Amino acid sequence: MSKTIAAISSGNAPGGIGVIRISGDDAIKIASHVFKPFDNSELTELKGYRAKYGNIIINGSKADNAVALVFRAPKSYTGEDVAELSVHGGLLAIQNTLQAVFDAGAQPAEAGEFTKRAFLNGKIDLTQAESVASMISAQGQAELKASFNALQGVLSREINSVLEKLLDMSALMAAWVDYPDEEIPELENEELEKTLDEASKTLAKLLDNYDNGQTVTCGVNTVIAGRPNAGKSSLMNMLSKTEKSIVTHIEGTTRDIVEDSVRLGDIVLHLKDTAGLRKSEDYVESIGIEKAHKAIDEAQLVLAVFDSSQAITNEDEELIDKCRGKNAVAVINKTDLKSEIDTAVIENAFESVVYISAKNGEGYEELCNAVNNVLGIADFDSNAPLLANLRQKQNCQRAYENICAAIDALKSGMTFDAINVMLDAAADELLSLTGKKATTEVVNNIFSKFCVGK
Ligand code: GDP
């Protein structure tokens, strides 16, 4: 018997509607203490997937109008009986109803407990559970799409197809070893090798795609660099569409690093607008400049801004040097003014150059394309199965290594039971990835990162 839990599932901000989710054996009974349908029917008699309109009753008095939804186990999010009360979305109204639900016998749900129950009840696997968290936190379209694909089981299916091959093969080999006298058809090494090869290729593709997937889904640490007045803050503002960076014509205005996350096309850039790179006598400014150098060294992407209305200076050349070997886009700004810059110098130094007017908001599309090309994600297929995090990657990596070792062992004529040890190890890794064999520690760790109510 599972204890019945409850929480606000619609977040802790006022809204039109607030949803309280109750899950567990007594969910519907508890909801029926707090909610009375207008038609005087009993919520406990209601079939699954049905709704009633009625009153929230707190301490015997009507407190709100609400809709109650009933789900019957196992056909619910958690796989248990679930009742959801949609009340008016003022925080006080929701909290009062939640308290009434607790008073009627529910316990406060822990972070991620609804989804954890869904996992433990076999409604979803671990990759799908993780995708629920990333759907909630997604900032960019690509991350949202990738998370939804994972929720629909795109990654699980890919992993399970490999797992099936490994388990079939392992069973055949074990039978061959354990029952040598039985009429088991001879296993062809070539056939075995082909199957293992296919399995390893599927995992290799997932691993190859991991870095690009992370870039697309987690965002890119990006530095906007350039000499004072090139237009760095204006570019940041153009991207973030706010006045986050202070724009003035006085050199050295941006003394520290201003940060913001912005969407560029489908991806998210975690932007740092840095102090202009130049020699400065001002102590505070020179600390900012030092930080700017460090930020460029650590960045995954540099947007190097040049002022097209002026000739190239030593500081520009310093920036050009600093960008060598980095993922960098040269952004030639102020195209609305008469050009004085020798663009050939920049075109020769950078793989990717775009011309913009930050002031007029021109060149946005070109910048999107240039960034995608430089990061190597222009052809990224966000419908493909994707390993979402380091945990999944490590399981996949170890499974891949075991399969490769099994292929080598097969080629060098090792015995089937020795090879089987490697296949079983690979299968175990994939079972941990999808959660069928994950340790309690791993599972608890995953769900502790969820918010309460999910
Ligand atoms: P930062 O020091 O590199 O951050 O440069 P700012 O963004 O503060 O811009 C410096 C000056 O250049 C300001 O007066 C801006 O209005 C101006 N500026 C920035 N971008 C453009 C542009 O595209 N065209 C023109 N005409 N002026 C710009």
Side-chain angles (χ1 to χ4, degrees):
M1 171 147 175
S2 66
K3 73 175 182 181
T4 298
I5 52 171
I8 299 167
S9 279
S10 49
N12 271 326
I17 294 171
V19 178
I20 291 161
R21 182 184 271 160
I22 313 166
S23 179
D25 292 347
D26 290 334
I28 299 162
K29 198 171 90 193
I30 288 172
S32 75
H33 286 304
V34 177
F35 175 88
K36 299 292 171 205
F38 283 134
D39 62 8
N40 288 326
S41 63
E42 280 300 328
L43 209 57
T44 47
E45 303 298 318
L46 200 63
K47 286 186 182 162
Y49 297 146
R50 300 288 161 90
K52 285 281 174 186
Y53 184 38
N55 280 318
I56 296 292
I57 308 290
I58 299 177
N59 297 330
S61 305
K62 292 175 192 167
D64 199 353
N65 296 144
V67 172
L69 261 167
V70 163
F71 303 84
R72 298 279 178 181
K75 294 182 176 177
S76 71
Y77 182 70
T78 56
E80 306 170 331
D81 277 354
V82 168
E84 284 181 7
L85 300 174
S86 298
V87 299
H88 285 105
L91 279 182
L92 194 56
I94 310 175
Q95 276 157 4
N96 285 348
T97 304
L98 180 65
Q99 187 56 52
V101 168
F102 290 153
D103 292 344
Q107 313 271 319
E110 287 169 19
E113 199 173 354
F114 294 110
T115 309
K116 187 177 180 181
R117 288 183 178 204
F119 164 67
L120 295 174
N121 290 326
K123 301 290 291 185
I124 51 174
D125 73 11
L126 216 43
T127 66
Q128 290 170 303
E130 283 172 315
S131 69
V132 172
S134 44
M135 275 209 72
I136 294 168
S137 63
Q139 290 186 308
Q141 296 293 353
E143 182 179 12
L144 190 61
K145 195 167 180 194
S147 308
F148 184 57
N149 283 339
L151 182 61
Q152 289 184 303
V154 173
L155 176 64
S156 314
R157 279 194 289 280
E158 190 83 333
I159 296 297
N160 286 333
S161 74
V162 174
L163 189 61
E164 231 168 79
K165 283 187 189 132
L166 296 182
L167 295 177
D168 283 353
M169 193 181 285
S170 165
L172 275 177
M173 285 189 177
W176 180 255
V177 172
D178 293 344
Y179 307 102
D181 301 332
E182 299 287 322
E183 295 268 312
I184 298 168
E186 177 124 21
L187 292 174
E188 295 290 339
N189 271 20
E190 215 173 276
E191 196 60 28
L192 296 176
E193 226 177 284
K194 193 171 152 242
T195 311
L196 285 181
D197 204 46
E198 277 169 14
S200 77
K201 280 193 177 125
T202 306
L203 298 188
K205 198 167 166 202
L206 284 173
L207 290 165
D208 277 352
N209 228 0
Y210 178 74
D211 285 341
N212 278 347
Q214 289 293 292
T215 302
V216 166
T217 58
C218 297
V220 184
N221 290 329
T222 305
V223 162
I224 302 182
R227 69 178 158 87
N229 267 340
K232 298 178 297 299
S233 305
S234 304
L235 172 61
M236 178 119 170
N237 291 338
M238 169 178 155
L239 294 175
S240 61
K241 299 189 175 73
T242 62
E243 292 292 316
K244 193 147 278 182
S245 299
I246 318 144
V247 181
T248 69
H249 62 280
I250 307 159
E251 294 190 353
T253 317
T254 309
R255 285 162 175 251
D256 207 340
I257 291 179
V258 181
E259 299 193 10
D260 197 7
S261 291
V262 300
R263 278 192 218 119
L264 187 78
D266 282 351
I267 63 169
V268 172
L269 301 184
H270 304 299
L271 287 179
K272 283 181 177 169
D273 174 13
T274 59
L277 296 177
R278 62 174 192 147
K279 305 244 172 322
S280 171
E281 299 301 316
D282 180 311
Y283 177 68
V284 179
E285 192 192 349
S286 57
I287 293 175
I289 294 169
E290 204 177 299
K291 277 194 190 170
H293 279 283
K294 192 160 175 278
I296 293 175
D297 291 339
E298 291 169 356
Q300 293 172 284
L301 172 71
V302 182
L303 301 179
V305 186
F306 300 93
D307 182 343
S308 72
S309 69
Q310 291 185 11
I312 286 178
T313 64
N314 290 342
E315 288 145 328
D316 290 329
E317 275 166 3
E318 196 183 324
L319 176 61
I320 292 172
D321 272 349
K322 208 140 178 64
C323 289
R324 281 189 215 289
K326 289 208 67 88
N327 285 335
V329 175
V331 182
I332 301 186
N333 186 31
K334 307 195 190 181
T335 52
D336 54 297
L337 299 179
K338 185 169 172 290
S339 175
E340 298 290 342
I341 198 168
D342 183 354
T343 53
V345 174
I346 295 172
E347 296 271 359
N348 284 336
F350 287 83
E351 193 189 315
S352 189
V353 181
V354 288
Y355 292 82
I356 70 159
S357 167
K359 193 175 176 186
N360 297 342
E362 286 163 15
Y364 181 84
E365 282 297 319
E366 291 76 2
L367 187 58
C368 278
N369 294 337
V371 165
N372 285 343
N373 282 327
V374 162
L375 294 173
I377 53 169
D379 299 323
F380 183 77
D381 177 7
S382 51
N383 287 318
L386 209 59
L387 296 166
N389 52 44
L390 201 57
R391 179 194 79 80
Q392 296 179 4
K393 184 197 174 190
Q394 284 172 342
N395 284 136
C396 188
Q397 180 73 42
R398 289 193 289 261
Y400 172 74
E401 284 163 7
N402 275 299
I403 295 174
C404 291
I407 294 173
D408 288 345
L410 199 60
K411 282 184 179 153
S412 63
M414 275 172 79
T415 58
F416 280 169
D417 47 354
I419 296 169
N420 237 359
V421 172
M422 298 166 202
L423 293 189
D424 287 348
D428 272 359
E429 292 295 340
L430 298 183
L431 287 167
S432 322
L433 199 164
T434 57
K436 288 196 187 99
K437 252 191 180 177
T439 62
T440 315
E441 208 181 352
V442 166
V443 172
N444 287 345
N445 183 32
I446 288 171
F447 290 103
S448 68
K449 293 181 189 132
F450 274 62
C451 45
V452 172
K454 198 60 226 172

